[in-house]
Amino acid sequence: MSHSYGTFETLRQQNAILRDTVDLHSGIQLAAWFNNHDTVTVNSNHHTLSLYIADGYESYHKTPHGWKNGGGPDRFCLMPQESESSWDIRGNLSFVHLYCTDAHLREVGEQIWDKRPATFSLDEKTFAHDERITSLYRHFLLGCDWHQQANQLALSTASTLLLTHLIQRYTNVQWQLPKVTGGLAPVVLRNVLAFIDSHLDKPLMLAELAQQAALSEYHFARMFRQSMKVAPHQYVMQRRMEKAQQLVRHSALPLTDIALACGFNSASHFSNRFKSVTGLTPSQLRAASQ
């Protein structure tokens, strides 16, 4: 792992049960946890964004005035680097953590605003609510298999959008997002679409696609959506499914080979996604096409 996250290591030594974790290419880490009847103190060398997924009503945070609760589904906590916080988990709690460093925030700041602040200080938040954070978590990170390479584009997009939102709303700089008008130039769009089609067997990251257009991830994603009317990760998944249907109908390739050719490293995940789009499993469609 490119970065060792203290909060992650602390939780592993407690009662917390790690349900899933993934390291994104940028070094950001996601972790899904369950905890109950535990007291935890974290003093971290990084930033942690925590979203409560289920329960959490009996989670208490230590304040100068005693233990206070206020948790519940879709509440979030923001624990900045160098902050210390103590928690008493007295009932069930399912939550997802995103761990990142100051360097990750700087990188996003530079990409989008082309500025480098002397320091990024994040606000500490406990049991707060933010529709944007909730929708990004629930839309991109939940109900999605983190280990499927076909989902890496959605995960890397979500992490960039979450950090962008933190910089806007919860830091000392609170920069406004730059306006992006117009789509990609036709020749750039053609090159990007050709690149996608020739790399459907690969995970495909937002950074790679943006690089093809020589743009920041933020500007690329906005301009791509202007041009294509869908987000990059949605377009890529559409193309994966179109290619899969072609190969299922018109080739004799084994279904596991088709799954790999379309960027899925698990036949069952491929089959589930295929059925959700076409209403049939790959084998059912192949039988119907004979």
Side-chain angles (χ1 to χ4, degrees):
M1 205 194 322
S2 51
H3 191 94
S4 175
Y5 291 104
T7 299
F8 179 80
E9 298 305 332
T10 299
L11 284 171
R12 288 182 86 161
Q13 290 153 25
Q14 305 283 134
N15 293 345
I17 296 164
L18 180 64
R19 288 190 165 156
D20 206 357
T21 182
V22 64
D23 296 324
L24 301 181
H25 67 106
S26 54
I28 291 169
Q29 185 183 358
L30 295 171
W33 297 96
F34 173 81
N35 208 350
N36 190 355
H37 301 307
D38 202 3
T39 50
V40 183
T41 295
V42 289
N43 188 345
S44 61
N45 56 345
H46 57 85
H47 306 299
T48 303
L49 174 60
S50 171
L51 187 81
Y52 286 19
I53 302 304
D55 306 312
Y57 304 106
E58 291 298 305
S59 298
Y60 289 78
H61 177 245
K62 191 176 188 179
T63 74
H65 312 290
W67 294 92
K68 299 275 190 251
N69 70 340
D74 297 338
R75 295 286 160 181
F76 81 93
C77 301
L78 190 53
M79 293 161 271
Q81 193 166 300
E82 311 307 341
S83 64
E84 181 176 286
S85 52
S86 295
W87 307 84
D88 187 358
I89 314 298
R90 302 175 195 174
N92 287 349
L93 170 62
S94 298
F95 57 105
V96 173
H97 274 176
L98 180 151
Y99 306 118
C100 69
T101 64
D102 236 29
H104 292 124
L105 287 173
R106 276 171 198 285
E107 203 174 311
V108 171
E110 273 186 52
Q111 275 195 351
I112 296 176
W113 289 276
D114 203 18
K115 295 190 211 172
R116 227 189 141 87
T119 56
F120 260 132
S121 55
L122 276 176
D123 304 337
E124 195 163 342
K125 293 283 175 194
T126 309
F127 307 135
H129 188 70
D130 184 317
E131 289 291 344
R132 177 78 175 143
I133 290 175
T134 298
S135 71
L136 286 171
Y137 262 103
R138 292 201 173 270
H139 176 70
F140 286 100
L141 302 183
L142 307 182
C144 145
D145 182 337
W146 291 356
H147 302 285
Q148 270 310 314
Q149 68 172 26
N151 292 334
Q152 294 308 298
L153 181 55
L155 294 178
S156 64
T157 300
S159 63
T160 299
L161 291 173
L162 281 164
L163 295 197
T164 303
H165 185 68
L166 293 185
I167 291 169
Q168 271 186 279
R169 292 289 304 277
Y170 301 108
T171 65
N172 54 322
V173 297
Q174 297 201 356
W175 293 325
Q176 293 308 301
L177 280 176
K179 292 277 182 284
V180 176
T181 52
L184 296 167
V187 64
V188 173
L189 182 62
R190 273 200 305 278
N191 289 344
V192 168
L193 299 184
F195 179 83
I196 290 171
D197 277 352
S198 60
H199 292 81
L200 289 175
D201 58 331
K202 301 287 190 295
L204 281 175
M205 299 294 178
L206 192 59
E208 287 176 281
L209 300 182
Q211 207 173 4
Q212 296 303 310
L215 289 165
S216 75
E217 291 175 37
Y218 173 80
H219 284 88
F220 171 76
R222 287 286 190 284
M223 292 164 81
F224 185 93
R225 187 189 270 278
Q226 290 269 14
S227 295
M228 299 300 294
K229 307 298 177 243
V230 290
H233 73 279
Q234 292 168 320
Y235 175 81
V236 169
M237 191 56 80
Q238 280 174 15
R239 294 299 294 153
R240 291 190 199 282
M241 288 291 105
E242 285 163 14
K243 180 177 180 178
Q245 288 179 64
Q246 284 292 324
L247 292 173
V248 167
R249 287 176 193 275
H250 305 298
S251 83
L253 275 177
L255 297 178
T256 47
D257 291 2
I258 293 176
L260 289 170
C262 298
F264 293 88
N265 46 352
S266 135
S268 63
H269 182 72
F270 168 63
S271 184
N272 292 341
R273 180 58 73 111
F274 193 93
K275 187 174 182 180
S276 74
V277 171
T278 65
L280 299 170
T281 64
S283 46
Q284 287 168 337
L285 181 67
R286 178 163 273 179
S289 306
Q290 297 298 318

